[in-house]
Amino acid sequence: MKKNMLPLIGLVSGAALVVWSILIAGDIMSFLDTPSIIITVFGSFAALMISFPFKTLLNIPKVMKVLLSDPKDKRVDLVNLFAELSRKARKDGLLALENDIETIHNEYMIEGLKMVIDGVEPDTIKEIMELKLDTMERRHRSGQEVFEKWAELAPAFGMLGTLIGLVIMLSGLDDPDAIGPGMATALLTTFYGSLLANLIFIPMASNLSLQTDEEVFTGEMVIDGILQIQAGANPRLLEEKLKTYLSTDELKLLSSEKEDEVGAASYE
Amino acid sequence: MKKNMLPLIGLVSGAALVVWSILIAGDIMSFLDTPSIIITVFGSFAALMISFPFKTLLNIPKVMKVLLSDPKDKRVDLVNLFAELSRKARKDGLLALENDIETIHNEYMIEGLKMVIDGVEPDTIKEIMELKLDTMERRHRSGQEVFEKWAELAPAFGMLGTLIGLVIMLSGLDDPDAIGPGMATALLTTFYGSLLANLIFIPMASNLSLQTDEEVFTGEMVIDGILQIQAGANPRLLEEKLKTYLSTDELKLLSSEKEDEVGAASYE
Amino acid sequence: MKKNMLPLIGLVSGAALVVWSILIAGDIMSFLDTPSIIITVFGSFAALMISFPFKTLLNIPKVMKVLLSDPKDKRVDLVNLFAELSRKARKDGLLALENDIETIHNEYMIEGLKMVIDGVEPDTIKEIMELKLDTMERRHRSGQEVFEKWAELAPAFGMLGTLIGLVIMLSGLDDPDAIGPGMATALLTTFYGSLLANLIFIPMASNLSLQTDEEVFTGEMVIDGILQIQAGANPRLLEEKLKTYLSTDELKLLSSEKEDEVGAASYE
Amino acid sequence: MKKNMLPLIGLVSGAALVVWSILIAGDIMSFLDTPSIIITVFGSFAALMISFPFKTLLNIPKVMKVLLSDPKDKRVDLVNLFAELSRKARKDGLLALENDIETIHNEYMIEGLKMVIDGVEPDTIKEIMELKLDTMERRHRSGQEVFEKWAELAPAFGMLGTLIGLVIMLSGLDDPDAIGPGMATALLTTFYGSLLANLIFIPMASNLSLQTDEEVFTGEMVIDGILQIQAGANPRLLEEKLKTYLSTDELKLLSSEKEDEVGAASYE
Amino acid sequence: MKKNMLPLIGLVSGAALVVWSILIAGDIMSFLDTPSIIITVFGSFAALMISFPFKTLLNIPKVMKVLLSDPKDKRVDLVNLFAELSRKARKDGLLALENDIETIHNEYMIEGLKMVIDGVEPDTIKEIMELKLDTMERRHRSGQEVFEKWAELAPAFGMLGTLIGLVIMLSGLDDPDAIGPGMATALLTTFYGSLLANLIFIPMASNLSLQTDEEVFTGEMVIDGILQIQAGANPRLLEEKLKTYLSTDELKLLSSEKEDEVGAASYE
């Protein structure tokens, strides 16, 4: 099971559980009501159009794809990469790193290394890279805020739909037999609003928030590594320092890789 | 579709959806009740009069117009402008910027440049410009707070109206047939309060908050640019630095503009 | 219409709206229930007695008077005053300011100027004045917190009253005709609690919070002005600097005053 | 009326109001239901046992006693004490303060003075005293957090009790006459949970929070005073500086004491 | 009674109270409904799968074990240990500490001491140890966030289940006798969601948060101690300084241990 499928599995199994719990006691048809879906989904989306600029809303599909994608840079790999680059820089000078840039996938790290090679001063590198990290974080948080706001507005429009249904039902209370079905329909929008918020929007906002936290933390590690390479730090110390950014699990992973490497190295 | 029409489109389509969802099931007339509208809208406005000073409330129409206006300064244009000014300042000295001031539209940037030309010290310029940014932010946040407070008070007065309706209905419970319509009317104020909050006040406060964030961020970029011009920074480095304030989309826009410019320049 | 009457107008018109909306549909007498008022108002006040020290509660009437009083110091006037004092200090020395102290109304500014005249060091003046501002803010915030807590406790005791009413009504459910009136009475405490919170306590806490913000901001401006006078700053620069504390509206007011002054000055 | 009796008076009068409002409309016996009290009080306490370490829960009675105790150190007295100590230290040297230590009641101040007499460096004294203040604040906040959590859990277990009551009543809905009393009993746990939270736990947490704020503020004043005595500050200036920690009321108290003292002194 | 059993005791007694309060009034069987349990527990878990990465969810059992484990390092023991190490370092030099490392159980302290022995500079030690503490805190907070999110989602899915039950019951409202049992079943999911949140997830998140706070505080004390040993601080002063991290209870414990030690020492 690949890790990045988890949100999809969660979504599908959550939806399946809801459908199953409907089926065992009643009829799924009584839960399908097109106007109820429209007022809840599109009503809250109309309010989102007032809340956010156009380009942020255009980003929604892109943001949803982020949920399913693997994190691009594993911190463990970065520690190894930095250790290697640092050894090279010590032996052949900072300019020797130019050839390695093409093999690096992390855009952010490439930009930092280019500045190191260009001889930009450490303080300027630090300032520019922190600003870049900040701008990246701002952009990601805005995607997350869309889902947080939607998680707030969807149940609100669900409740509005229920109020509309109740007022209509109560103002035309001629037939007592119609109370039950009328009320059932009125409650459907509350059901949709709550389902959308709790199964989709709140979990997605959580997920995006955690991913952004991770990226910012990785970014801080990259800044640290870049500045140490520039300062000509001892490769061993650099590695020790960067390892403090790793969790216990990542450290285990790193040391197992190391053993393999050492094993391989002994044949050289 | 112009970007600044989005809030209006959101408002109109949201209201249309609500009206439509009423019409398909009932009668719009049972939702129009003047006293209910008055107690919800004006009752919450009376509470706003206690909460805010007069001048802040007078600003409400002005703030609402801000929602529909295009952001004045595109950050992409400012990067180009700063790059140009920096080249000029390097070639002809800081005083040569005096003529360019008239062509700049950004009030905040003009004030900064004037101080640069007047030879005010960098620390003083930074302090004054940050204070100005702070004062601007305070003023904008106060507009935003009015809508946040209204979003809190409108449903509260809606609920008060419903409580009044319920008490009246229950204390005169002679005719069981009157329960339905009485309750329907009582619920109307809750409906209005919730609609005002979720379709108008909460989204507007969100929108204003994001716009203020953007303006503050642009302001920080202007301070950075001004101080670098004064310090006689390399125009290329200045441009690189300021580009870190741009999002990926803005960077794409900038590079496409650049290509046009380069294309045009080759004919010179 | 004087500005400081606004909270009173808001309170009276809000209460009038509530009374009107009761009268058009029912009888005001069914909303007057002494025990309901007592449990809501005094019950929540009893809880306030546990929450706050005696002296803070004794301050409530004083704090309510603050709501209706004009802000003592207009920032615009302070800018003019500082500009004048700075000109005098430059011409006649800092000691010459001693005579002006009597004409100043701002207690906080007087204390600062006295320290300047006494030759206290700038760092000490700054430290003492910031501490004073801090102590002032702490005291005002404690008044604001009383109303915030009351806004939380009044609806809670309203709900307690309703629970009491419901339990009594339900446990003695012999006469079905008594359900309506019993429930109406039970709901009255919820109505009172909500009315007190939303028409009185929440708006008052907002108002006090904004007033404190303003006073702190003015205080920061006074500290800035005092320290610049002591440093012998150029009166023109000092004025420019202090003007950054003003909003756009205040700046317009200032420049119109200036024109009058210039006009008047030309006759001298 | 002594100030420290206020929380007790609030508690008793609040409870009396609740009992009175029950008695005027119904029978107090229908509000006494042992199982309801047990599930609300002990259920929420069981959840507290999961939330907090044993020693924090053991502190509850001690913390409740704090509510009724007078604040140990009045800031006004400390200003006078510091002024006196400062005069003595200037005249007879810092070592002369050793005899005064026994007359001081404030533990925290004694520790500071001992370090001064021992000749510990100012930076170390400041660091140690701030750390001590921090540790004290952490301990007090943990007592406050217990009541905040209880205020959250008591109504939650009240609602759980009501849900249990409702499910039992509804699942055995044979006798329509039993609905009323069954529902009344079900609501009792909600009533208890809400009463405990709003009359006891929320106000107690508020009270403890304010007391901790006061103690921290007093502690900051003590650090300031100690460091000034060590630096050999002018007793008059020291007094002026420490007076900035006093509120307007405390200042009035101080000046009235001063007049008495001056009056007494004139006879010497 | 061992302290670390408290959460288990709380959980068992809370569950027992709930079961007891069901049994005294009704039948436990009417509270056991498998589909209700499934939708509440697994529905909210499906949403958790969207919210968190796989490895965080895998950690749930490990985190639950933390709840029941004794805190590894008592701060009191650490004060004694540091005092001892400091005496040794002063007498025999920093390198002499190498032998003691094996007897220390605190991983974090060992790493710090190793750096001291390796002669790493104080600033680097401080930076690395603070980063390590930060990484540890981030990891622990992520475990805590899972339970906080679950405490939010479980009642939400409980309410969704109730809505499903209500809609089914209301849309098929033929038999009035079925209303009661139908509603009872519908309420069961709300009951489960609320019980899970308030008896398990909220208290567990509280507990984990407090444990993390404690560990961070202990970590700060270890950093302080390590740096002081490296700086060759006086063992007596070091002990005094570290004692400021202890609460009053811990101080009592320490002094009673000290007396025993002194007593024992007198026989040497």
Side-chain angles (χ1 to χ4, degrees):
Chain A
M1 185 175 68
K2 279 175 69 187
K3 182 168 59 178
N4 56 345
M5 294 305 291
L6 197 68
L8 210 62
I9 295 172
L11 183 58
V12 169
S13 57
L17 274 170
V18 169
V19 169
W20 167 79
S21 70
I22 291 173
L23 287 177
I24 54 165
D27 181 9
I28 192 85
M29 291 317 291
S30 59
F31 282 81
L32 293 179
D33 183 55
T34 318
S36 295
I37 295 173
I38 287 174
I39 184 72
T40 310
V41 176
F42 291 97
S44 55
F45 189 79
L48 276 191
M49 285 164 78
I50 307 175
S51 308
F52 292 96
F54 194 46
K55 61 175 185 205
T56 308
L57 296 181
L58 277 183
N59 263 333
I60 294 179
K62 209 195 279 177
V63 167
M64 292 180 93
K65 240 162 51 188
V66 167
L67 279 175
L68 300 178
S69 69
D70 246 334
K72 270 170 278 169
D73 314 293
K74 304 253 174 70
R75 277 201 286 276
V76 172
D77 299 343
L78 285 175
V79 170
N80 288 329
L81 182 55
F82 269 114
E84 207 180 298
L85 290 175
S86 142
R87 268 187 291 271
K88 198 162 194 174
R90 272 225 152 175
K91 220 174 60 189
D92 308 326
L94 289 169
L95 292 179
L97 301 179
E98 197 142 29
N99 306 322
D100 297 272
I101 284 182
E102 282 156 39
T103 65
I104 301 173
H105 300 294
N106 185 324
E107 275 296 324
Y108 185 62
M109 188 171 163
I110 291 172
E111 284 182 279
L113 280 177
K114 273 186 180 160
M115 284 191 283
V116 167
I117 293 165
D118 288 355
V120 179
E121 277 183 50
D123 283 355
T124 312
I125 294 184
K126 202 181 171 205
E127 198 189 341
I128 290 185
M129 292 198 77
E130 283 176 350
L131 196 52
K132 260 194 156 42
L133 203 58
D134 216 60
T135 311
M136 181 278 283
E137 190 178 355
R138 282 169 53 90
R139 201 176 61 245
H140 287 209
R141 296 275 177 234
S142 83
Q144 165 192 339
E145 277 166 23
V146 171
F147 289 103
E148 278 168 7
K149 191 54 87 182
W150 213 346
E152 189 189 330
L153 289 169
F157 276 85
M159 206 199 75
L160 271 177
T162 297
L163 281 171
I164 292 174
L166 284 178
V167 169
I168 290 172
M169 185 197 81
L170 290 165
S171 57
L173 209 66
D174 310 320
D175 176 16
D177 286 356
I179 296 180
M183 192 116 166
T185 312
L187 281 178
L188 275 186
T189 53
T190 293
F191 169 72
Y192 286 127
S194 182
L195 185 65
L196 286 171
N198 291 298
L199 186 58
I200 303 185
F201 300 141
I202 289 174
M204 275 177 73
S206 274
N207 186 314
L208 291 169
S209 169
L210 284 175
Q211 283 201 40
T212 306
D213 287 353
E214 284 294 298
E215 266 185 76
V216 169
F217 196 58
T218 304
E220 283 167 7
M221 178 182 157
V222 169
I223 294 177
D224 200 343
I226 294 273
L227 291 175
Q228 285 194 66
I229 284 184
Q230 187 178 37
N234 181 318
R236 219 189 141 64
L237 279 182
L238 178 143
E239 203 179 333
E240 281 309 307
K241 176 77 186 299
L242 293 187
K243 273 158 71 178
T244 53
Y245 287 93
L246 303 182
S247 67
T248 331
D249 292 342
E250 287 169 328
L251 279 173
K252 270 181 211 152
L253 196 67
L254 187 72
S255 59
S256 70
E257 280 179 14
K258 265 289 147 64
E259 275 162 31
D260 294 357
E261 204 180 283
V262 169
S266 62
Y267 287 97
E268 283 179 354
Chain B
M1 187 175 68
K2 279 176 70 186
K3 182 168 59 177
N4 55 346
M5 294 305 291
L6 197 68
L8 210 62
I9 295 172
L11 183 58
V12 169
S13 57
L17 274 170
V18 169
V19 170
W20 167 80
S21 72
I22 291 173
L23 287 178
I24 55 164
D27 181 10
I28 192 85
M29 290 317 291
S30 60
F31 282 81
L32 293 179
D33 183 55
T34 317
S36 295
I37 295 173
I38 286 173
I39 184 71
T40 311
V41 176
F42 291 97
S44 55
F45 189 80
L48 276 191
M49 285 164 77
I50 306 175
S51 308
F52 292 96
F54 195 44
K55 62 176 185 202
T56 308
L57 296 181
L58 277 183
N59 263 334
I60 293 180
K62 210 197 276 179
V63 167
M64 293 180 95
K65 239 163 52 188
V66 168
L67 278 175
L68 300 179
S69 68
D70 246 335
K72 269 170 279 169
D73 314 294
K74 304 253 174 69
R75 277 201 286 276
V76 172
D77 299 343
L78 285 174
V79 170
N80 288 329
L81 183 55
F82 268 114
E84 208 179 297
L85 289 175
S86 142
R87 268 188 292 271
K88 198 162 194 173
R90 272 221 150 178
K91 221 174 61 189
D92 308 325
L94 289 169
L95 293 179
L97 300 179
E98 197 142 28
N99 306 322
D100 297 271
I101 283 182
E102 282 157 41
T103 65
I104 301 173
H105 300 294
N106 185 325
E107 275 295 324
Y108 185 62
M109 188 172 164
I110 291 172
E111 284 180 280
L113 280 176
K114 272 186 180 159
M115 284 190 283
V116 166
I117 293 166
D118 289 356
V120 179
E121 276 184 50
D123 283 354
T124 312
I125 294 185
K126 203 181 169 206
E127 197 189 341
I128 290 185
M129 292 196 79
E130 282 176 351
L131 196 52
K132 261 195 156 39
L133 203 57
D134 217 59
T135 311
M136 182 278 283
E137 190 178 354
R138 282 169 53 90
R139 201 176 60 245
H140 286 210
R141 296 274 176 235
S142 82
Q144 166 192 339
E145 277 166 23
V146 171
F147 289 104
E148 278 168 7
K149 192 51 89 182
W150 212 345
E152 190 189 330
L153 291 169
F157 275 85
M159 206 199 74
L160 271 177
T162 297
L163 281 171
I164 292 174
L166 284 177
V167 169
I168 290 172
M169 186 196 81
L170 290 165
S171 55
L173 208 68
D174 310 321
D175 176 17
D177 287 355
I179 295 181
M183 192 116 166
T185 312
L187 282 178
L188 276 185
T189 53
T190 293
F191 169 73
Y192 287 127
S194 183
L195 185 65
L196 285 171
N198 291 297
L199 186 58
I200 302 185
F201 300 141
I202 289 175
M204 275 176 73
S206 273
N207 185 314
L208 291 169
S209 170
L210 284 175
Q211 283 200 40
T212 306
D213 287 353
E214 285 293 298
E215 265 184 76
V216 169
F217 197 58
T218 303
E220 282 167 8
M221 179 183 157
V222 168
I223 294 177
D224 200 343
I226 295 273
L227 290 176
Q228 284 194 67
I229 284 183
Q230 187 177 37
N234 181 317
R236 213 182 151 66
L237 280 182
L238 177 143
E239 203 178 334
E240 281 310 306
K241 176 77 185 300
L242 293 188
K243 272 159 71 178
T244 53
Y245 287 93
L246 302 182
S247 67
T248 331
D249 292 343
E250 287 169 328
L251 279 174
K252 270 182 211 151
L253 196 68
L254 186 71
S255 58
S256 71
E257 279 179 14
K258 265 289 147 65
E259 276 162 30
D260 295 358
E261 203 180 285
V262 170
S266 63
Y267 287 98
E268 283 178 357
Chain C
M1 187 175 68
K2 278 176 71 185
K3 183 168 60 176
N4 56 346
M5 295 305 291
L6 197 67
L8 210 62
I9 294 172
L11 183 58
V12 169
S13 57
L17 273 169
V18 169
V19 170
W20 168 79
S21 70
I22 291 173
L23 288 177
I24 54 166
D27 181 10
I28 194 85
M29 290 317 290
S30 60
F31 282 81
L32 293 178
D33 183 56
T34 318
S36 295
I37 295 173
I38 287 173
I39 184 73
T40 311
V41 175
F42 291 98
S44 55
F45 189 80
L48 276 191
M49 284 164 78
I50 306 175
S51 309
F52 292 96
F54 195 45
K55 62 176 184 202
T56 308
L57 296 181
L58 276 184
N59 263 333
I60 293 180
K62 209 196 277 178
V63 167
M64 292 181 95
K65 239 163 51 188
V66 168
L67 279 175
L68 301 179
S69 68
D70 247 333
K72 270 169 278 168
D73 315 293
K74 303 254 173 70
R75 276 201 286 277
V76 171
D77 299 343
L78 285 174
V79 171
N80 287 330
L81 182 55
F82 268 115
E84 207 180 297
L85 289 175
S86 142
R87 267 187 294 272
K88 197 161 193 175
R90 273 222 151 178
K91 222 174 60 188
D92 308 325
L94 288 170
L95 293 178
L97 301 179
E98 198 142 27
N99 306 321
D100 297 271
I101 283 182
E102 283 157 40
T103 65
I104 301 173
H105 301 294
N106 185 325
E107 275 297 323
Y108 185 61
M109 188 171 162
I110 291 172
E111 284 181 277
L113 280 176
K114 272 186 181 160
M115 284 191 282
V116 167
I117 293 165
D118 288 355
V120 180
E121 278 184 49
D123 283 353
T124 312
I125 294 185
K126 203 182 169 205
E127 199 189 339
I128 290 185
M129 292 196 78
E130 282 176 351
L131 196 52
K132 261 195 156 41
L133 202 57
D134 217 58
T135 311
M136 182 277 283
E137 189 178 356
R138 281 169 53 89
R139 202 177 57 245
H140 286 210
R141 296 275 175 233
S142 83
Q144 166 192 338
E145 277 166 24
V146 172
F147 288 104
E148 278 168 6
K149 192 53 87 183
W150 213 344
E152 191 189 329
L153 290 169
F157 275 85
M159 207 200 72
L160 272 177
T162 298
L163 281 171
I164 292 173
L166 284 178
V167 169
I168 290 172
M169 186 196 81
L170 290 164
S171 56
L173 208 66
D174 311 320
D175 177 15
D177 287 354
I179 296 181
M183 192 118 166
T185 312
L187 282 177
L188 276 186
T189 54
T190 293
F191 169 73
Y192 286 127
S194 182
L195 185 65
L196 284 170
N198 291 296
L199 186 58
I200 303 185
F201 300 140
I202 290 175
M204 275 177 73
S206 274
N207 186 315
L208 290 169
S209 170
L210 285 174
Q211 282 200 40
T212 306
D213 287 353
E214 285 292 299
E215 264 183 78
V216 170
F217 196 59
T218 304
E220 284 167 7
M221 179 183 155
V222 168
I223 295 176
D224 200 345
I226 296 273
L227 291 176
Q228 284 193 68
I229 284 182
Q230 187 178 37
N234 181 318
R236 212 183 150 66
L237 280 181
L238 178 142
E239 201 178 336
E240 281 310 307
K241 176 78 187 299
L242 293 187
K243 273 158 72 177
T244 54
Y245 286 93
L246 303 182
S247 67
T248 331
D249 291 343
E250 287 169 329
L251 278 174
K252 269 183 212 151
L253 196 68
L254 186 72
S255 58
S256 70
E257 279 179 14
K258 265 290 147 66
E259 276 162 31
D260 294 358
E261 202 181 286
V262 170
S266 62
Y267 288 96
E268 284 179 355
Chain D
M1 187 174 67
K2 277 175 71 184
K3 182 168 61 177
N4 56 347
M5 295 305 291
L6 197 67
L8 211 63
I9 295 172
L11 183 58
V12 169
S13 59
L17 272 169
V18 169
V19 169
W20 167 78
S21 71
I22 291 173
L23 288 177
I24 55 165
D27 181 10
I28 192 83
M29 290 317 289
S30 60
F31 282 81
L32 293 178
D33 183 55
T34 318
S36 295
I37 294 173
I38 287 174
I39 184 72
T40 310
V41 176
F42 291 98
S44 55
F45 189 79
L48 275 191
M49 284 164 78
I50 307 175
S51 309
F52 292 95
F54 194 45
K55 61 175 184 202
T56 308
L57 296 181
L58 276 184
N59 263 333
I60 294 180
K62 209 196 277 179
V63 167
M64 291 180 96
K65 240 164 48 188
V66 167
L67 279 175
L68 300 179
S69 68
D70 246 332
K72 270 169 280 170
D73 315 293
K74 304 254 174 70
R75 275 201 287 278
V76 171
D77 298 343
L78 285 174
V79 170
N80 288 330
L81 182 54
F82 269 114
E84 206 180 298
L85 289 175
S86 141
R87 267 187 293 272
K88 196 162 195 175
R90 274 221 150 179
K91 220 174 61 189
D92 308 326
L94 289 169
L95 293 179
L97 302 179
E98 197 141 28
N99 306 322
D100 296 271
I101 284 182
E102 282 156 41
T103 65
I104 302 174
H105 300 294
N106 185 325
E107 275 297 323
Y108 185 62
M109 189 172 163
I110 290 172
E111 284 181 278
L113 279 177
K114 272 186 180 159
M115 284 190 284
V116 167
I117 294 166
D118 288 355
V120 180
E121 279 183 49
D123 283 354
T124 311
I125 295 185
K126 201 181 173 206
E127 199 189 340
I128 290 185
M129 293 197 77
E130 282 175 351
L131 196 53
K132 260 195 156 41
L133 202 57
D134 217 59
T135 310
M136 181 278 283
E137 189 178 356
R138 281 169 52 90
R139 201 176 60 247
H140 286 209
R141 296 277 175 233
S142 83
Q144 166 192 339
E145 277 165 23
V146 171
F147 289 104
E148 278 168 6
K149 192 54 87 183
W150 213 346
E152 190 189 329
L153 290 169
F157 275 85
M159 207 199 73
L160 271 177
T162 297
L163 281 170
I164 293 174
L166 283 178
V167 169
I168 290 173
M169 185 196 82
L170 289 165
S171 56
L173 209 66
D174 310 321
D175 176 15
D177 286 356
I179 296 180
M183 192 119 165
T185 311
L187 282 177
L188 275 185
T189 54
T190 293
F191 169 73
Y192 287 127
S194 182
L195 185 65
L196 285 170
N198 290 297
L199 186 58
I200 303 185
F201 301 140
I202 290 175
M204 275 177 73
S206 273
N207 185 315
L208 290 169
S209 169
L210 284 174
Q211 282 201 40
T212 306
D213 287 353
E214 284 294 299
E215 264 184 77
V216 169
F217 197 59
T218 304
E220 284 167 6
M221 179 183 157
V222 168
I223 295 176
D224 200 344
I226 295 274
L227 291 176
Q228 285 193 67
I229 284 183
Q230 186 177 37
N234 180 319
R236 215 184 148 64
L237 279 181
L238 178 142
E239 202 179 336
E240 281 309 307
K241 175 78 185 299
L242 293 187
K243 273 159 71 178
T244 54
Y245 287 92
L246 303 182
S247 66
T248 330
D249 292 343
E250 287 169 328
L251 279 173
K252 269 181 212 152
L253 196 67
L254 186 72
S255 58
S256 71
E257 280 179 15
K258 266 287 144 66
E259 275 162 32
D260 294 358
E261 203 180 285
V262 169
S266 64
Y267 287 95
E268 283 180 355
Chain E
M1 186 173 69
K2 278 176 70 186
K3 182 168 60 179
N4 56 347
M5 293 307 290
L6 197 68
L8 211 62
I9 295 173
L11 184 57
V12 169
S13 58
L17 273 170
V18 169
V19 170
W20 167 79
S21 72
I22 291 173
L23 288 178
I24 55 165
D27 180 10
I28 193 84
M29 290 317 289
S30 59
F31 282 81
L32 293 178
D33 183 54
T34 318
S36 296
I37 295 173
I38 288 174
I39 184 72
T40 310
V41 176
F42 291 97
S44 56
F45 189 79
L48 275 191
M49 284 164 78
I50 307 175
S51 308
F52 292 96
F54 194 45
K55 61 176 184 202
T56 308
L57 296 181
L58 277 184
N59 264 333
I60 294 179
K62 209 195 280 180
V63 167
M64 292 180 95
K65 239 163 51 189
V66 167
L67 279 175
L68 300 180
S69 69
D70 246 334
K72 269 169 279 169
D73 314 293
K74 304 254 174 69
R75 276 201 287 277
V76 172
D77 298 343
L78 286 174
V79 169
N80 288 330
L81 183 54
F82 269 115
E84 207 180 298
L85 289 175
S86 141
R87 268 187 291 270
K88 196 161 197 175
R90 272 223 152 178
K91 221 175 60 191
D92 308 325
L94 288 169
L95 293 178
L97 301 179
E98 198 143 27
N99 306 322
D100 297 272
I101 283 182
E102 282 157 40
T103 65
I104 301 173
H105 300 295
N106 185 324
E107 275 297 322
Y108 185 62
M109 188 172 163
I110 291 172
E111 284 181 279
L113 280 176
K114 272 186 182 160
M115 284 190 283
V116 166
I117 293 165
D118 288 355
V120 180
E121 278 183 49
D123 283 354
T124 311
I125 294 185
K126 202 182 172 205
E127 198 189 340
I128 290 184
M129 292 197 77
E130 282 176 350
L131 196 52
K132 259 195 158 40
L133 202 58
D134 216 59
T135 310
M136 181 278 283
E137 189 178 356
R138 282 170 53 88
R139 201 176 59 247
H140 286 209
R141 296 276 177 233
S142 83
Q144 166 192 339
E145 277 166 24
V146 171
F147 289 104
E148 279 169 5
K149 191 54 87 183
W150 213 346
E152 189 189 329
L153 290 169
F157 275 86
M159 207 199 75
L160 271 177
T162 298
L163 280 171
I164 292 174
L166 283 178
V167 169
I168 290 172
M169 184 196 82
L170 290 166
S171 56
L173 209 65
D174 309 321
D175 177 16
D177 286 356
I179 296 180
M183 193 119 164
T185 312
L187 281 177
L188 276 185
T189 54
T190 293
F191 169 73
Y192 286 128
S194 181
L195 185 65
L196 285 171
N198 291 297
L199 186 57
I200 303 185
F201 301 140
I202 289 174
M204 275 177 72
S206 274
N207 185 316
L208 291 169
S209 170
L210 284 174
Q211 283 201 40
T212 306
D213 287 354
E214 285 294 298
E215 265 185 77
V216 169
F217 197 59
T218 303
E220 283 167 6
M221 178 183 157
V222 169
I223 295 177
D224 200 344
I226 295 274
L227 292 176
Q228 284 194 68
I229 285 183
Q230 187 177 37
N234 180 318
R236 219 190 140 63
L237 279 181
L238 178 143
E239 203 179 334
E240 281 309 308
K241 176 77 186 299
L242 293 187
K243 273 158 71 178
T244 54
Y245 287 92
L246 303 182
S247 66
T248 330
D249 291 343
E250 288 168 327
L251 279 174
K252 268 181 213 154
L253 196 66
L254 186 72
S255 58
S256 71
E257 280 179 15
K258 265 288 144 65
E259 274 162 32
D260 294 357
E261 203 180 284
V262 169
S266 63
Y267 287 96
E268 283 179 353

